[in-house]
Amino acid sequence: MAHEGLHEEERDLSKKTLDMHRALVSLQEELEAVDWYRQRAEACGDAQLKSVLLHNMRDEIEHAAMLIEWLRRSDNDFEGQLNTFVFNNGDIVEAEAKAEAEAEAETGAEAAEPSPDDDDKRPTIGTLKEQST
Ligand SMILES: [Fe+2]
């Protein structure tokens, strides 16, 4: 594994954190490629090349979406935030306040910041599937 981008010694990091790092760096690269292809296509004067560049840009968006879905399935914090903000057509900022109000109503208290240890306690799609079989 390339070690670029790690901010701590690899030996001190869990397999999950290393896999998250791989996914996050990959997502960063895919989004950067989307930006580059979009700019190149917009500036390109050749219609056929512009078409190829836009096609490639859409492929990079697909790759980014696949990584976002992997992050959602692999990390409770990503799953929670994506559930709050993605595919909701209302006001984006108001979605946060609504989610916090719903959490407070469920717990009867202001929601506490999640601990990294919570990952081991909260159900994931994988554990829910295991329970249902
Ligand atoms: Fe890609």
Side-chain angles (χ1 to χ4, degrees):
M1 170 182 179
H3 300 287
E4 303 89 43
L6 290 179
H7 292 270
E8 299 293 338
E9 295 296 327
E10 184 176 358
R11 67 175 178 271
D12 295 333
L13 301 174
S14 67
K15 179 184 178 309
K16 178 181 176 177
T17 294
L18 291 171
D19 282 343
M20 290 290 292
H21 174 70
R22 291 180 178 103
L24 292 166
V25 170
S26 296
L27 178 58
Q28 186 177 16
E29 293 165 353
E30 300 297 351
L31 293 174
E32 189 173 60
V34 170
D35 184 34
W36 290 348
Y37 277 123
R38 182 181 300 277
Q39 290 182 45
R40 289 174 188 155
E42 192 168 295
C44 182
D46 183 281
Q48 184 65 76
L49 179 56
K50 182 179 196 131
S51 178
V52 170
L53 294 170
L54 288 172
H55 167 84
N56 292 353
M57 178 197 74
R58 292 183 186 102
D59 278 354
E60 304 301 351
I61 292 171
E62 176 188 58
H63 302 164
M66 292 168 77
L67 287 161
I68 291 168
E69 176 59 11
W70 185 90
L71 289 165
R72 185 191 69 79
R73 293 181 189 189
S74 303
D75 184 82
N76 289 330
D77 291 315
F78 267 98
E79 183 178 32
Q81 296 297 338
L82 290 170
N83 282 339
T84 298
F85 293 105
V86 176
F87 298 114
N88 293 319
N89 293 321
D91 184 275
I92 295 169
V93 176
E94 287 177 11
E96 180 182 37
K98 183 179 171 200
E100 288 174 353
E102 288 172 0
E104 284 181 37
E106 283 180 22
T107 63
E110 194 166 320
E113 282 295 312
S115 159
D117 295 336
D118 291 346
D119 277 353
D120 298 333
K121 299 171 191 153
R122 295 163 55 185
T124 63
I125 299 298
T127 59
L128 292 173
K129 283 181 182 173
E130 288 170 13
Q131 290 170 7
S132 68
T133 55

